[in-house]
Amino acid sequence: MKIAVIQFEPVFRDKEKNLSKILSYINNIDSQILIFPELCLTGYYFLNREEVNEIAEHSKGDVISEIQALSSKLNKGVVIGFPEKDGEKLYNSCAVTLPDKAKSRIYRKTHLFYRERFCFDPGDTGFFVIDEPEWDVKIGTMICYDWRFPEVARTLALKGADLIVCPSNLVTNVWQNALSTRALENNVYMAVANRIGSETRNGETLTFNGDSAIYDYNGGVLAKASQGDESVIIAEIEPAKTRKKSFNEFNDIFSDRRPEMYDL
Ligand code: ACM
């Protein structure tokens, strides 16, 4: 199967423009699963909850419903970051829409980065894996700063993920080795969709570093975007190959684990 990562620069607070671009990408990219960046519906650098509340979407609202409808019509999976409103709560979320709506889920970012704590509630969905037998793939989701916690990828892998998707707005240049390592140490594919461009609020500029990548289960690069250009990268993956966790006759990275020795 083919997966695609879309790297672009959302226009801050211009939901209509961003959505139109996202829908056009979904319509035109020839892949089973399309992964977009974190908060790409609105841009990233909100300063407070009031700003997020003005623009946030309900998971069953018009925007996610439109993406779901397209996902079903085109028989594609879509992973897309958006600010989510649920009653009084606000989450930095991503929707995973699959052709069969019953399988679609929302993941709410667990670990909040930098000033996100002033804008969002910590995610309460925990980590889950969606099984899509039509493509024989099990998909796990995390968002950006979640990468700093190896427990996240491990949890997803132990739950059976073959492919971990990571919508991101990364502002450092230290994550590449870690995400390739998360792929290797869990024997899973890893797709990181980062954004490009910068946003300045109250005199502070955040620059997003692109470099989106799809890693194979040995941590090798299957496809890579540049640091500064809008681009779509596509890779062919074989999800079933991630399920054999042994790498020689005697060792298996899951059954060799000794959790009783770990102080976690
Ligand atoms: C991040 O979590 N947006 C770095």
Side-chain angles (χ1 to χ4, degrees):
M1 65 177 295
K2 279 197 283 191
I3 63 170
V5 160
I6 298 95
Q7 170 171 298
F8 74 107
E9 179 173 5
V11 181
F12 188 55
R13 284 173 155 158
D14 195 339
K15 205 155 56 168
E16 216 170 296
K17 192 164 192 172
N18 296 328
L19 180 61
S20 130
K21 185 163 212 163
I22 288 160
L23 295 176
S24 156
Y25 272 129
I26 298 173
N27 270 305
N28 292 308
I29 297 171
D30 172 27
S31 288
Q32 275 76 48
I33 301 178
L34 281 58
I35 302 133
F36 290 87
E38 175 185 16
L39 292 176
C40 67
L41 186 63
T42 55
Y44 178 79
Y45 202 3
F46 296 100
L47 297 178
N48 54 51
R49 294 179 70 91
E50 290 69 37
E51 287 187 355
V52 176
N53 193 45
E54 271 171 27
I55 202 165
E57 285 288 323
H58 288 276
S59 63
K60 294 184 172 43
D62 290 349
V63 170
I64 303 305
S65 300
E66 190 169 1
I67 293 170
Q68 174 64 60
L70 202 53
S71 190
S72 301
K73 179 177 154 212
L74 300 174
N75 202 36
K76 291 176 180 174
V78 177
V79 180
I80 177 163
F82 72 105
E84 183 196 356
K85 188 187 319 210
D86 182 7
E88 298 292 299
K89 299 281 193 183
L90 298 167
Y91 299 104
N92 180 342
S93 294
C94 87
V96 183
T97 64
L98 288 166
D100 174 3
K101 189 178 169 189
K103 294 221 178 84
S104 299
R105 299 276 302 260
I106 303 290
Y107 168 67
R108 295 169 170 165
K109 187 176 186 178
T110 302
H111 304 96
L112 297 179
F113 178 70
Y114 198 47
R115 293 181 182 274
E116 287 172 29
R117 66 191 58 222
F118 305 119
C119 304
F120 298 102
D121 295 285
D124 60 356
T125 50
F127 302 102
F128 55 84
V129 168
I130 308 177
D131 187 1
E132 179 47 276
E134 189 175 340
W135 302 317
D136 190 21
V137 65
K138 297 188 170 97
I139 307 159
T141 308
M142 62 192 211
I143 298 179
C144 203
Y145 178 55
D146 284 332
W147 76 263
R148 290 256 185 190
F149 304 86
E151 296 88 346
V152 175
R154 179 63 101 203
T155 299
L156 290 169
L158 288 173
K159 288 188 169 188
D162 311 310
L163 164 67
I164 296 178
V165 293
C166 186
S168 295
N169 278 191
L170 291 149
V171 293
T172 65
N173 270 312
V174 296
W175 54 271
Q176 290 87 343
N177 286 345
L179 281 168
S180 132
T181 302
R182 296 292 94 80
L184 167 70
E185 68 199 1
N186 291 294
N187 204 67
V188 295
Y189 290 99
M190 173 75 70
V192 187
N194 197 16
R195 60 161 287 183
I196 52 170
S198 61
E199 289 177 9
T200 301
R201 302 297 311 281
N202 279 357
E204 184 185 24
T205 300
L206 295 183
T207 300
F208 307 96
N209 293 320
D211 239 2
S212 297
I214 302 172
Y215 300 101
D216 69 19
Y217 49 85
N218 285 316
V221 174
L222 286 178
K224 190 146 189 65
S226 71
Q227 286 216 316
D229 298 316
E230 175 158 344
S231 49
V232 177
I233 55 172
I234 296 180
E236 188 83 41
I237 65 167
E238 296 178 81
K241 288 206 165 165
T242 67
R243 294 172 201 159
K244 184 168 107 13
K245 302 294 184 186
S246 61
F247 60 95
N248 65 34
E249 198 180 342
F250 303 109
N251 292 113
D252 177 299
I253 58 169
F254 277 12
S255 60
D256 285 348
R257 294 175 66 246
R258 300 190 58 201
E260 72 280 11
M261 304 298 279
Y262 310 149
D263 282 331
L264 290 176

